[in-house]
Short mmCIF file of all heavy atoms in Angstrom, two decimals:
data_model
loop_
_atom_site.label_atom_id
_atom_site.label_comp_id
_atom_site.label_asym_id
_atom_site.label_seq_id
_atom_site.Cartn_x
_atom_site.Cartn_y
_atom_site.Cartn_z
N MET A 1 22.61 -23.44 37.14
CA MET A 1 22.62 -24.62 37.99
C MET A 1 23.50 -25.68 37.34
O MET A 1 23.39 -25.95 36.17
CB MET A 1 21.19 -25.13 38.15
CG MET A 1 21.08 -26.45 38.85
SD MET A 1 19.38 -27.04 39.03
CE MET A 1 18.92 -27.38 37.36
N THR A 2 24.36 -26.26 38.13
CA THR A 2 25.20 -27.35 37.69
C THR A 2 24.95 -28.54 38.61
O THR A 2 24.88 -28.38 39.82
CB THR A 2 26.69 -26.97 37.76
OG1 THR A 2 26.90 -25.81 36.97
CG2 THR A 2 27.55 -28.08 37.24
N LEU A 3 24.80 -29.71 38.02
CA LEU A 3 24.58 -30.90 38.81
C LEU A 3 25.90 -31.65 38.93
O LEU A 3 26.63 -31.76 37.95
CB LEU A 3 23.53 -31.79 38.15
CG LEU A 3 22.23 -31.09 37.82
CD1 LEU A 3 21.31 -32.02 37.05
CD2 LEU A 3 21.55 -30.60 39.08
N GLU A 4 26.20 -32.16 40.12
CA GLU A 4 27.46 -32.85 40.32
C GLU A 4 27.23 -34.23 40.89
O GLU A 4 26.41 -34.42 41.79
CB GLU A 4 28.34 -32.02 41.25
CG GLU A 4 28.60 -30.65 40.68
CD GLU A 4 29.75 -29.93 41.32
OE1 GLU A 4 30.48 -30.55 42.10
OE2 GLU A 4 29.92 -28.75 41.01
N SER A 5 27.94 -35.21 40.34
CA SER A 5 27.84 -36.57 40.82
C SER A 5 29.16 -37.27 40.59
O SER A 5 29.76 -37.16 39.52
CB SER A 5 26.73 -37.32 40.08
OG SER A 5 26.71 -38.66 40.48
N ALA A 6 29.61 -38.00 41.60
CA ALA A 6 30.88 -38.71 41.49
C ALA A 6 30.71 -40.03 40.75
O ALA A 6 31.61 -40.46 40.04
CB ALA A 6 31.45 -38.96 42.87
N THR A 7 29.57 -40.67 40.89
CA THR A 7 29.44 -42.01 40.32
C THR A 7 28.12 -42.25 39.59
O THR A 7 28.11 -42.77 38.49
CB THR A 7 29.58 -43.08 41.41
OG1 THR A 7 28.60 -42.82 42.43
CG2 THR A 7 30.97 -43.07 42.01
N ALA A 8 27.01 -41.92 40.19
CA ALA A 8 25.71 -42.32 39.67
C ALA A 8 25.29 -41.47 38.47
O ALA A 8 25.73 -40.33 38.31
CB ALA A 8 24.66 -42.20 40.76
N GLU A 9 24.45 -42.05 37.65
CA GLU A 9 23.86 -41.31 36.55
C GLU A 9 22.89 -40.27 37.12
O GLU A 9 22.14 -40.56 38.04
CB GLU A 9 23.10 -42.25 35.63
CG GLU A 9 22.40 -41.53 34.49
CD GLU A 9 21.59 -42.49 33.64
OE1 GLU A 9 21.59 -43.69 33.93
OE2 GLU A 9 20.96 -42.02 32.69
N VAL A 10 22.93 -39.08 36.58
CA VAL A 10 22.04 -38.02 37.01
C VAL A 10 20.96 -37.83 35.95
O VAL A 10 21.28 -37.71 34.76
CB VAL A 10 22.80 -36.70 37.25
CG1 VAL A 10 21.84 -35.58 37.61
CG2 VAL A 10 23.86 -36.88 38.33
N THR A 11 19.72 -37.82 36.39
CA THR A 11 18.63 -37.58 35.46
C THR A 11 17.79 -36.43 35.99
O THR A 11 17.76 -36.17 37.20
CB THR A 11 17.73 -38.82 35.28
OG1 THR A 11 17.17 -39.17 36.55
CG2 THR A 11 18.52 -39.99 34.73
N THR A 12 17.11 -35.74 35.07
CA THR A 12 16.25 -34.64 35.47
C THR A 12 14.90 -34.78 34.80
O THR A 12 14.77 -35.39 33.73
CB THR A 12 16.85 -33.28 35.06
OG1 THR A 12 17.00 -33.24 33.64
CG2 THR A 12 18.20 -33.05 35.72
N ARG A 13 13.89 -34.22 35.46
CA ARG A 13 12.55 -34.17 34.88
C ARG A 13 11.95 -32.81 35.24
O ARG A 13 11.87 -32.46 36.42
CB ARG A 13 11.66 -35.28 35.40
CG ARG A 13 10.29 -35.30 34.74
CD ARG A 13 9.52 -36.56 35.07
NE ARG A 13 9.11 -36.64 36.45
CZ ARG A 13 7.98 -36.12 36.93
NH1 ARG A 13 7.16 -35.48 36.13
NH2 ARG A 13 7.68 -36.25 38.19
N VAL A 14 11.54 -32.08 34.23
CA VAL A 14 10.93 -30.77 34.45
C VAL A 14 9.45 -30.96 34.74
O VAL A 14 8.73 -31.59 33.95
CB VAL A 14 11.12 -29.86 33.22
CG1 VAL A 14 10.42 -28.53 33.42
CG2 VAL A 14 12.60 -29.67 32.93
N CYS A 15 9.00 -30.44 35.86
CA CYS A 15 7.58 -30.47 36.20
C CYS A 15 6.94 -29.20 35.65
O CYS A 15 7.38 -28.10 36.00
CB CYS A 15 7.39 -30.53 37.71
SG CYS A 15 8.10 -31.98 38.48
N PRO A 16 5.92 -29.32 34.81
CA PRO A 16 5.28 -28.13 34.26
C PRO A 16 4.83 -27.18 35.38
O PRO A 16 4.16 -27.61 36.33
CB PRO A 16 4.08 -28.70 33.50
CG PRO A 16 4.48 -30.10 33.17
CD PRO A 16 5.31 -30.56 34.34
N ASN A 17 5.24 -25.92 35.29
CA ASN A 17 4.92 -24.90 36.29
C ASN A 17 5.43 -25.24 37.68
O ASN A 17 4.88 -24.77 38.68
CB ASN A 17 3.42 -24.63 36.33
CG ASN A 17 2.92 -24.14 35.00
OD1 ASN A 17 3.54 -23.29 34.37
ND2 ASN A 17 1.80 -24.67 34.55
N GLY A 18 6.46 -26.08 37.76
CA GLY A 18 7.00 -26.47 39.06
C GLY A 18 8.50 -26.64 39.00
O GLY A 18 9.15 -26.06 38.13
N PRO A 19 9.05 -27.42 39.90
CA PRO A 19 10.50 -27.57 39.98
C PRO A 19 11.06 -28.52 38.93
O PRO A 19 10.32 -29.15 38.17
CB PRO A 19 10.68 -28.16 41.39
CG PRO A 19 9.45 -28.98 41.59
CD PRO A 19 8.34 -28.20 40.92
N VAL A 20 12.37 -28.62 38.95
CA VAL A 20 13.08 -29.65 38.19
C VAL A 20 13.46 -30.75 39.18
O VAL A 20 14.14 -30.47 40.17
CB VAL A 20 14.34 -29.09 37.50
CG1 VAL A 20 15.11 -30.19 36.78
CG2 VAL A 20 13.97 -27.96 36.55
N LEU A 21 12.98 -31.94 38.94
CA LEU A 21 13.33 -33.06 39.81
C LEU A 21 14.64 -33.65 39.34
O LEU A 21 14.79 -33.98 38.16
CB LEU A 21 12.22 -34.12 39.78
CG LEU A 21 10.85 -33.65 40.25
CD1 LEU A 21 9.85 -34.80 40.17
CD2 LEU A 21 10.90 -33.06 41.65
N VAL A 22 15.60 -33.75 40.26
CA VAL A 22 16.93 -34.23 39.94
C VAL A 22 17.17 -35.53 40.71
O VAL A 22 17.08 -35.57 41.93
CB VAL A 22 18.00 -33.19 40.33
CG1 VAL A 22 19.40 -33.71 40.03
CG2 VAL A 22 17.74 -31.87 39.61
N ARG A 23 17.47 -36.57 39.97
CA ARG A 23 17.72 -37.88 40.58
C ARG A 23 19.19 -38.26 40.39
O ARG A 23 19.72 -38.19 39.29
CB ARG A 23 16.84 -38.94 39.92
CG ARG A 23 17.04 -40.36 40.48
CD ARG A 23 16.21 -41.38 39.74
NE ARG A 23 14.80 -41.10 39.83
CZ ARG A 23 14.00 -41.49 40.82
NH1 ARG A 23 14.50 -42.20 41.80
NH2 ARG A 23 12.73 -41.18 40.81
N GLY A 24 19.84 -38.65 41.50
CA GLY A 24 21.19 -39.20 41.42
C GLY A 24 22.31 -38.20 41.58
O GLY A 24 23.48 -38.58 41.55
N ALA A 25 22.00 -36.93 41.80
CA ALA A 25 23.08 -35.94 41.97
C ALA A 25 23.57 -35.94 43.41
O ALA A 25 22.80 -36.16 44.34
CB ALA A 25 22.58 -34.55 41.59
N ASP A 26 24.85 -35.74 43.58
CA ASP A 26 25.41 -35.59 44.93
C ASP A 26 25.23 -34.16 45.43
O ASP A 26 25.16 -33.92 46.63
CB ASP A 26 26.90 -35.91 44.92
CG ASP A 26 27.17 -37.37 44.58
OD1 ASP A 26 26.32 -38.22 44.92
OD2 ASP A 26 28.21 -37.65 43.97
N ALA A 27 25.19 -33.22 44.47
CA ALA A 27 25.11 -31.82 44.84
C ALA A 27 24.64 -30.99 43.66
O ALA A 27 24.70 -31.43 42.52
CB ALA A 27 26.47 -31.32 45.31
N VAL A 28 24.17 -29.79 43.98
CA VAL A 28 23.76 -28.81 42.97
C VAL A 28 24.57 -27.55 43.23
O VAL A 28 24.65 -27.07 44.37
CB VAL A 28 22.26 -28.51 43.08
CG1 VAL A 28 21.86 -27.36 42.18
CG2 VAL A 28 21.44 -29.76 42.76
N ARG A 29 25.20 -27.03 42.19
CA ARG A 29 25.97 -25.80 42.31
C ARG A 29 25.14 -24.66 41.75
O ARG A 29 24.68 -24.72 40.60
CB ARG A 29 27.30 -25.90 41.57
CG ARG A 29 28.22 -24.71 41.81
CD ARG A 29 29.55 -24.87 41.11
NE ARG A 29 30.28 -26.06 41.49
CZ ARG A 29 31.07 -26.17 42.57
NH1 ARG A 29 31.22 -25.14 43.36
NH2 ARG A 29 31.70 -27.31 42.82
N ASP A 30 24.93 -23.60 42.55
CA ASP A 30 24.10 -22.50 42.08
C ASP A 30 24.92 -21.51 41.24
O ASP A 30 26.12 -21.70 41.00
CB ASP A 30 23.40 -21.81 43.25
CG ASP A 30 24.35 -21.11 44.21
OD1 ASP A 30 25.49 -20.79 43.81
OD2 ASP A 30 23.93 -20.86 45.36
N GLU A 31 24.26 -20.45 40.79
CA GLU A 31 24.91 -19.49 39.89
C GLU A 31 26.07 -18.76 40.54
O GLU A 31 26.96 -18.27 39.85
CB GLU A 31 23.88 -18.49 39.38
CG GLU A 31 22.81 -19.13 38.54
CD GLU A 31 21.70 -18.17 38.18
OE1 GLU A 31 21.76 -16.99 38.58
OE2 GLU A 31 20.76 -18.60 37.50
N ASP A 32 26.06 -18.68 41.88
CA ASP A 32 27.15 -18.02 42.60
C ASP A 32 28.33 -18.95 42.86
O ASP A 32 29.34 -18.54 43.42
CB ASP A 32 26.65 -17.47 43.93
CG ASP A 32 25.60 -16.39 43.75
OD1 ASP A 32 25.63 -15.70 42.71
OD2 ASP A 32 24.73 -16.26 44.64
N GLY A 33 28.17 -20.23 42.50
CA GLY A 33 29.23 -21.20 42.71
C GLY A 33 29.13 -21.95 44.02
O GLY A 33 29.98 -22.78 44.33
N THR A 34 28.10 -21.66 44.79
CA THR A 34 27.91 -22.36 46.07
C THR A 34 27.41 -23.76 45.82
O THR A 34 26.46 -23.96 45.05
CB THR A 34 26.91 -21.59 46.96
OG1 THR A 34 27.39 -20.27 47.14
CG2 THR A 34 26.74 -22.28 48.30
N LEU A 35 28.03 -24.73 46.48
CA LEU A 35 27.66 -26.12 46.33
C LEU A 35 26.64 -26.50 47.41
O LEU A 35 26.89 -26.30 48.60
CB LEU A 35 28.91 -26.99 46.45
CG LEU A 35 28.82 -28.42 45.96
CD1 LEU A 35 28.50 -28.46 44.47
CD2 LEU A 35 30.13 -29.15 46.24
N HIS A 36 25.49 -27.03 46.97
CA HIS A 36 24.43 -27.44 47.89
C HIS A 36 24.33 -28.96 47.84
O HIS A 36 23.89 -29.51 46.82
CB HIS A 36 23.10 -26.80 47.48
CG HIS A 36 23.13 -25.31 47.46
ND1 HIS A 36 22.79 -24.54 48.55
CD2 HIS A 36 23.49 -24.44 46.48
CE1 HIS A 36 22.93 -23.26 48.25
NE2 HIS A 36 23.36 -23.17 46.99
N PRO A 37 24.72 -29.65 48.91
CA PRO A 37 24.65 -31.11 48.91
C PRO A 37 23.20 -31.59 48.75
O PRO A 37 22.29 -31.06 49.36
CB PRO A 37 25.20 -31.50 50.28
CG PRO A 37 26.00 -30.33 50.73
CD PRO A 37 25.32 -29.13 50.14
N ALA A 38 23.03 -32.60 47.92
CA ALA A 38 21.72 -33.24 47.76
C ALA A 38 21.62 -34.33 48.81
O ALA A 38 22.40 -35.28 48.79
CB ALA A 38 21.58 -33.80 46.36
N THR A 39 20.70 -34.19 49.73
CA THR A 39 20.62 -35.11 50.87
C THR A 39 19.62 -36.23 50.66
O THR A 39 19.45 -37.07 51.53
CB THR A 39 20.25 -34.34 52.15
OG1 THR A 39 19.00 -33.67 51.93
CG2 THR A 39 21.32 -33.32 52.49
N ARG A 40 18.97 -36.23 49.49
CA ARG A 40 18.00 -37.28 49.18
C ARG A 40 18.27 -37.81 47.77
O ARG A 40 18.88 -37.12 46.96
CB ARG A 40 16.57 -36.72 49.27
CG ARG A 40 16.19 -36.34 50.69
CD ARG A 40 14.85 -35.72 50.74
NE ARG A 40 14.90 -34.40 50.11
CZ ARG A 40 13.87 -33.63 49.89
NH1 ARG A 40 12.67 -34.03 50.20
NH2 ARG A 40 14.01 -32.45 49.34
N PRO A 41 17.76 -38.99 47.47
CA PRO A 41 17.97 -39.55 46.12
C PRO A 41 17.37 -38.68 45.02
O PRO A 41 17.91 -38.60 43.92
CB PRO A 41 17.29 -40.91 46.18
CG PRO A 41 17.23 -41.26 47.63
CD PRO A 41 17.10 -39.96 48.36
N VAL A 42 16.25 -38.04 45.32
CA VAL A 42 15.61 -37.14 44.36
C VAL A 42 15.40 -35.80 45.07
O VAL A 42 14.84 -35.77 46.17
CB VAL A 42 14.24 -37.68 43.87
CG1 VAL A 42 13.59 -36.70 42.90
CG2 VAL A 42 14.41 -39.06 43.23
N VAL A 43 15.87 -34.74 44.45
CA VAL A 43 15.68 -33.40 45.02
C VAL A 43 14.94 -32.54 44.02
O VAL A 43 15.01 -32.75 42.81
CB VAL A 43 17.02 -32.74 45.41
CG1 VAL A 43 17.67 -33.48 46.57
CG2 VAL A 43 17.96 -32.66 44.23
N ALA A 44 14.18 -31.56 44.54
CA ALA A 44 13.41 -30.65 43.71
C ALA A 44 14.11 -29.30 43.68
O ALA A 44 14.22 -28.63 44.71
CB ALA A 44 11.99 -30.51 44.25
N VAL A 45 14.59 -28.92 42.51
CA VAL A 45 15.29 -27.65 42.35
C VAL A 45 14.31 -26.61 41.83
O VAL A 45 13.60 -26.84 40.84
CB VAL A 45 16.48 -27.82 41.38
CG1 VAL A 45 17.17 -26.49 41.13
CG2 VAL A 45 17.47 -28.83 41.94
N CYS A 46 14.28 -25.47 42.48
CA CYS A 46 13.34 -24.41 42.11
C CYS A 46 13.62 -23.91 40.70
O CYS A 46 14.76 -23.63 40.33
CB CYS A 46 13.48 -23.25 43.10
SG CYS A 46 12.41 -21.85 42.69
N ALA A 47 12.56 -23.78 39.92
CA ALA A 47 12.66 -23.24 38.57
C ALA A 47 11.92 -21.92 38.43
O ALA A 47 11.97 -21.30 37.37
CB ALA A 47 12.12 -24.25 37.56
N CYS A 48 11.23 -21.49 39.50
CA CYS A 48 10.46 -20.25 39.41
C CYS A 48 11.21 -19.06 40.02
O CYS A 48 10.79 -17.92 39.87
CB CYS A 48 9.10 -20.41 40.09
SG CYS A 48 9.16 -20.43 41.90
N ALA A 49 12.30 -19.33 40.72
CA ALA A 49 13.15 -18.31 41.36
C ALA A 49 12.43 -17.57 42.48
O ALA A 49 12.87 -16.50 42.88
CB ALA A 49 13.68 -17.31 40.32
N LYS A 50 11.37 -18.12 43.03
CA LYS A 50 10.64 -17.48 44.13
C LYS A 50 10.79 -18.20 45.46
O LYS A 50 10.28 -17.72 46.48
CB LYS A 50 9.14 -17.40 43.77
CG LYS A 50 8.85 -16.62 42.51
CD LYS A 50 9.26 -15.17 42.62
CE LYS A 50 8.86 -14.42 41.37
NZ LYS A 50 9.38 -13.04 41.37
N SER A 51 11.46 -19.34 45.46
CA SER A 51 11.60 -20.12 46.69
C SER A 51 12.37 -19.32 47.75
O SER A 51 13.30 -18.57 47.43
CB SER A 51 12.34 -21.42 46.39
OG SER A 51 12.62 -22.12 47.59
N GLN A 52 12.01 -19.53 48.99
CA GLN A 52 12.76 -18.94 50.11
C GLN A 52 13.89 -19.87 50.56
O GLN A 52 14.60 -19.56 51.50
CB GLN A 52 11.81 -18.68 51.28
CG GLN A 52 10.71 -17.68 50.95
CD GLN A 52 11.28 -16.33 50.55
OE1 GLN A 52 12.03 -15.72 51.30
NE2 GLN A 52 10.93 -15.86 49.35
N ARG A 53 14.01 -21.03 49.89
CA ARG A 53 15.04 -22.01 50.25
C ARG A 53 15.90 -22.35 49.03
O ARG A 53 16.28 -23.50 48.84
CB ARG A 53 14.38 -23.30 50.76
CG ARG A 53 13.57 -23.16 52.01
CD ARG A 53 12.96 -24.50 52.43
NE ARG A 53 13.97 -25.55 52.46
CZ ARG A 53 13.91 -26.68 51.74
NH1 ARG A 53 12.90 -26.91 50.94
NH2 ARG A 53 14.84 -27.60 51.84
N MET A 54 16.21 -21.38 48.22
CA MET A 54 16.98 -21.64 47.00
C MET A 54 18.26 -22.41 47.32
O MET A 54 18.88 -22.16 48.35
CB MET A 54 17.34 -20.34 46.31
CG MET A 54 16.15 -19.64 45.71
SD MET A 54 15.36 -20.57 44.40
CE MET A 54 16.45 -20.20 43.04
N PRO A 55 18.64 -23.38 46.51
CA PRO A 55 18.08 -23.69 45.20
C PRO A 55 16.90 -24.67 45.25
O PRO A 55 16.41 -25.08 44.22
CB PRO A 55 19.27 -24.34 44.48
CG PRO A 55 19.97 -25.09 45.57
CD PRO A 55 19.85 -24.20 46.79
N TRP A 56 16.43 -25.00 46.45
CA TRP A 56 15.40 -26.03 46.56
C TRP A 56 14.00 -25.45 46.44
O TRP A 56 13.72 -24.35 46.91
CB TRP A 56 15.53 -26.77 47.90
CG TRP A 56 16.92 -27.19 48.21
CD1 TRP A 56 17.65 -26.86 49.32
CD2 TRP A 56 17.78 -28.01 47.42
NE1 TRP A 56 18.89 -27.41 49.26
CE2 TRP A 56 19.00 -28.13 48.10
CE3 TRP A 56 17.65 -28.66 46.20
CZ2 TRP A 56 20.08 -28.86 47.60
CZ3 TRP A 56 18.72 -29.39 45.70
CH2 TRP A 56 19.91 -29.49 46.40
N CYS A 57 13.12 -26.18 45.85
CA CYS A 57 11.70 -25.81 45.76
C CYS A 57 11.09 -25.88 47.15
O CYS A 57 11.29 -26.85 47.88
CB CYS A 57 10.99 -26.79 44.82
SG CYS A 57 9.20 -26.62 44.80
N ASP A 58 10.34 -24.85 47.52
CA ASP A 58 9.63 -24.87 48.79
C ASP A 58 8.11 -24.81 48.59
O ASP A 58 7.37 -24.59 49.54
CB ASP A 58 10.08 -23.72 49.70
CG ASP A 58 9.70 -22.36 49.17
OD1 ASP A 58 9.14 -22.26 48.06
OD2 ASP A 58 9.97 -21.36 49.87
N GLY A 59 7.67 -24.99 47.36
CA GLY A 59 6.24 -25.00 47.07
C GLY A 59 5.68 -23.64 46.69
O GLY A 59 4.51 -23.53 46.33
N THR A 60 6.49 -22.60 46.75
CA THR A 60 6.02 -21.25 46.44
C THR A 60 5.48 -21.16 45.01
O THR A 60 4.58 -20.36 44.75
CB THR A 60 7.14 -20.22 46.66
OG1 THR A 60 7.57 -20.30 48.03
CG2 THR A 60 6.67 -18.80 46.36
N HIS A 61 5.99 -21.96 44.10
CA HIS A 61 5.53 -21.91 42.70
C HIS A 61 4.02 -22.13 42.59
O HIS A 61 3.41 -21.72 41.62
CB HIS A 61 6.27 -22.95 41.85
CG HIS A 61 5.98 -24.36 42.25
ND1 HIS A 61 6.71 -25.04 43.19
CD2 HIS A 61 4.99 -25.20 41.86
CE1 HIS A 61 6.22 -26.26 43.36
NE2 HIS A 61 5.17 -26.38 42.56
N LYS A 62 3.43 -22.73 43.60
CA LYS A 62 1.98 -23.00 43.56
C LYS A 62 1.16 -21.73 43.75
O LYS A 62 -0.02 -21.72 43.41
CB LYS A 62 1.61 -24.01 44.65
CG LYS A 62 2.27 -25.37 44.44
CD LYS A 62 1.96 -26.27 45.62
CE LYS A 62 2.74 -27.57 45.49
NZ LYS A 62 2.63 -28.40 46.71
N VAL A 63 1.78 -20.68 44.31
CA VAL A 63 1.03 -19.47 44.60
C VAL A 63 1.50 -18.26 43.80
O VAL A 63 0.98 -17.17 43.96
CB VAL A 63 1.06 -19.13 46.10
CG1 VAL A 63 0.35 -20.20 46.90
CG2 VAL A 63 2.49 -18.94 46.59
N VAL A 64 2.52 -18.44 42.95
CA VAL A 64 3.00 -17.32 42.12
C VAL A 64 2.76 -17.64 40.65
O VAL A 64 2.73 -18.81 40.25
CB VAL A 64 4.51 -17.02 42.34
CG1 VAL A 64 4.76 -16.57 43.76
CG2 VAL A 64 5.36 -18.19 41.98
N ARG A 65 2.60 -16.60 39.88
CA ARG A 65 2.41 -16.76 38.43
C ARG A 65 3.73 -16.58 37.74
O ARG A 65 4.53 -15.74 38.13
CB ARG A 65 1.43 -15.73 37.90
CG ARG A 65 0.04 -15.96 38.34
CD ARG A 65 -0.85 -14.88 37.77
NE ARG A 65 -2.15 -15.45 37.55
CZ ARG A 65 -2.94 -15.12 36.55
NH1 ARG A 65 -2.57 -14.20 35.70
NH2 ARG A 65 -4.11 -15.68 36.40
N ARG A 66 3.94 -17.37 36.72
CA ARG A 66 5.13 -17.18 35.90
C ARG A 66 4.85 -16.13 34.85
O ARG A 66 3.79 -16.11 34.28
CB ARG A 66 5.53 -18.49 35.23
CG ARG A 66 6.04 -19.48 36.26
CD ARG A 66 6.77 -20.58 35.61
NE ARG A 66 7.22 -21.48 36.66
CZ ARG A 66 7.98 -22.53 36.46
NH1 ARG A 66 8.36 -22.81 35.25
NH2 ARG A 66 8.34 -23.27 37.44
N GLY A 67 5.85 -15.28 34.62
CA GLY A 67 5.68 -14.20 33.66
C GLY A 67 6.03 -14.55 32.27
O GLY A 67 6.40 -15.53 31.84
S1 LIG B 101 9.63 -24.20 41.57
FE1 LIG B 101 8.79 -24.58 43.50
S2 LIG B 101 9.25 -22.81 44.60
FE2 LIG B 101 10.11 -22.44 42.67
#
């Protein structure tokens, strides 16, 4: 995951057993190089790799166990 921003400072916060909250990014680039525009000031990026809306968290981490 790569975070992209033209101007604002980008900050992240890892939620234990949950997503990474990203503040201030214009977009997130996934491992395939696809750019996903961040449409809100704070976006939740999936860290469990189980989301059906990658790269965004869809709440699936609440029902899956991490190995
Ligand atoms: S971290 Fe929430 S679905 Fe993966």
Side-chain angles (χ1 to χ4, degrees):
M1 172 180 68
T2 303
L3 307 175
E4 301 196 9
S5 176
T7 56
E9 177 183 0
V10 176
T11 61
T12 61
R13 183 169 69 87
V14 177
C15 299
N17 300 316
V20 177
L21 299 180
V22 179
R23 179 183 300 273
D26 295 329
V28 172
R29 187 178 302 276
D30 66 21
E31 295 173 0
D32 296 331
T34 303
L35 196 61
H36 301 269
T39 58
R40 293 177 290 174
V42 179
V43 293
V45 176
C46 178
C48 74
K50 300 298 183 187
S51 173
Q52 298 300 304
R53 297 180 50 238
M54 291 296 280
W56 312 123
C57 171
D58 67 356
T60 301
H61 65 270
K62 297 175 186 172
V63 295
V64 296
R65 291 179 149 215
R66 291 195 180 185

